[in-house]
């Protein structure tokens, strides 16, 4: 059966869409069948062309259910569902079918407090510090604030994803620029590790056209 990963969280602009595309891109580079499903009616569906993974339209709830049912039957596939922001009821429903729910958040105090509420609301979810500073002093400040605001949740946090120029290319019709490939691959591996999986058990030799 397929493995389902949901990117959720109440706050918009925290990086759910970019992170879900980055994970799909990184895993696809290892030869994993990867699918990205958009569920936010406010977002357009990016084309599968120029990508190593498929992009699917799950903005209609009935359509989404059918897509999930079909993909769940696929062996060794990874399904990334972008839940969109400001929809706690949708987050809860999607998390019920997920093997892993990830809550991206950035370093602002607002993001940290919303992340804390999301972690309480979705007790099986894990937090993903996103677009984390890379300068030494800024990283120290961000890490300190993270430890203070999310004290008691550290075991439910993944290691931070640094601020990387070029991530925005994932949201363009032309697809990712090559310079972000290593970062996407690393993120994909970290997500698989959280699931207790490895690319060796998931990778296929199928051509890219088979998942387009």
């Amino acid at each position: 059966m397929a493995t389902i990963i949901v990117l959720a969280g109440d706050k918009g602009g925290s990086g759910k869409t970019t992170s879900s595309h980055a994970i799909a891109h990184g895993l696809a580079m290892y030869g994993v069948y990867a699918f990205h499903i958009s569920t936010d009616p406010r977002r357009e569906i990016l084309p599968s062309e120029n990508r190593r993974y498929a992009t699917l339209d799950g903005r209609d709830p009935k359509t989404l259910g059918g897509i999930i049912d079909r993909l769940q039957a696929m062996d060794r596939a990874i399904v990334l569902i972008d839940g969109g922001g400001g929809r706690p009821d949708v987050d809860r429903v999607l998390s019920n079918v997920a093997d892993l729910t990830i809550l991206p958040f950035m370093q602002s105090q607002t993001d940290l407090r919303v992340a804390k509420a999301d972690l309480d609301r979705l007790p099986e979810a894990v937090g993903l510090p996103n677009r984390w500073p890379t300068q030494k002093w800024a990283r120290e400040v961000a890490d300190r604030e993270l430890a203070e605001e999310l004290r008691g949740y550290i075991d439910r946090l993944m290691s931070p994803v640094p601020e990387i120029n070029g991530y925005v290319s994932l949201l363009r019709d032309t697809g990712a620029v090559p310079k972000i490939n290593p970062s996407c691959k690393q993120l994909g591996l970290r997500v698989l590790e959280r699931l207790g999986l490895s690319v060796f058990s998931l990778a296929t030799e199928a051509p890219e056209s088979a998942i387009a």
Side-chain angles (χ1 to χ4, degrees), residues 24-124:
H25 177 65
L27 292 177
M29 292 194 71
Y30 283 110
V32 176
Y33 282 124
F35 298 83
H36 183 279
I37 305 177
S38 296
T39 67
D40 190 339
R42 297 162 294 188
R43 286 193 173 274
E44 64 177 342
I45 304 304
L46 296 170
S48 292
E49 290 78 16
N50 301 315
R51 299 177 196 276
R52 298 171 180 265
Y53 57 96
T55 55
L56 304 173
D57 187 349
R59 293 174 295 184
D60 175 77
K62 291 183 180 179
T63 301
L64 175 61
I67 292 173
I68 292 174
D69 286 344
R70 291 195 299 275
L71 293 181
Q72 277 186 317
M74 289 191 63
D75 186 34
R76 295 187 293 179
I78 299 290
V79 180
L80 280 299
I81 302 179
D82 176 11
R87 300 190 298 167
D89 292 340
V90 175
D91 285 351
R92 185 164 51 253
V93 171
L94 292 176
S95 293
N96 286 337
V97 301
D99 296 285
L100 177 65
T101 299
I102 299 175
L103 305 168
F105 60 89
M106 291 190 278
Q107 69 170 107
S108 75
Q109 196 169 64
T110 299
D111 273 62
L112 291 170
R113 290 176 178 174
V114 172
K116 182 177 180 180
D118 286 337
L119 288 164
D120 287 336
R121 182 168 54 86
L122 301 170
E124 301 302 319

Side-chain angles (χ1 to χ4, degrees), residues 13-33:
S14 61
K16 290 180 283 293
T17 299
T18 304
S19 297
S20 54
H21 279 282
I23 297 166
H25 177 65
L27 292 177
M29 292 194 71
Y30 283 110
V32 176
Y33 282 124

Side-chain angles (χ1 to χ4, degrees), residues 135-145:
Q135 291 184 325
K136 184 177 184 295
W137 67 268
R139 175 64 184 263
E140 289 175 351
V141 171
D143 288 347
R144 184 168 62 251
E145 292 176 346

Side-chain angles (χ1 to χ4, degrees), residues 123-198:
E124 301 302 319
V126 299
L128 178 65
N130 190 37
R131 295 181 61 181
W132 225 239
T134 55
Q135 291 184 325
K136 184 177 184 295
W137 67 268
R139 175 64 184 263
E140 289 175 351
V141 171
D143 288 347
R144 184 168 62 251
E145 292 176 346
L146 176 68
E148 291 173 355
E149 289 289 342
L150 294 181
R151 188 183 305 110
Y153 299 83
I154 300 303
D155 61 334
R156 294 177 58 194
L157 299 181
M158 297 177 63
S159 55
V161 176
E163 175 74 64
I164 297 173
N165 292 328
Y167 258 26
V168 68
S169 66
L170 289 159
L171 307 184
R172 295 175 182 155
D173 289 352
T174 50
V177 294
K179 70 178 181 179
I180 69 170
N181 289 349
S183 298
C184 291
K185 291 171 70 175
Q186 183 182 51
L187 179 58
L189 290 179
R190 284 165 47 198
V191 170
L192 289 188
E193 182 180 8
R194 194 82 193 194
L195 286 160
L197 301 173
S198 75

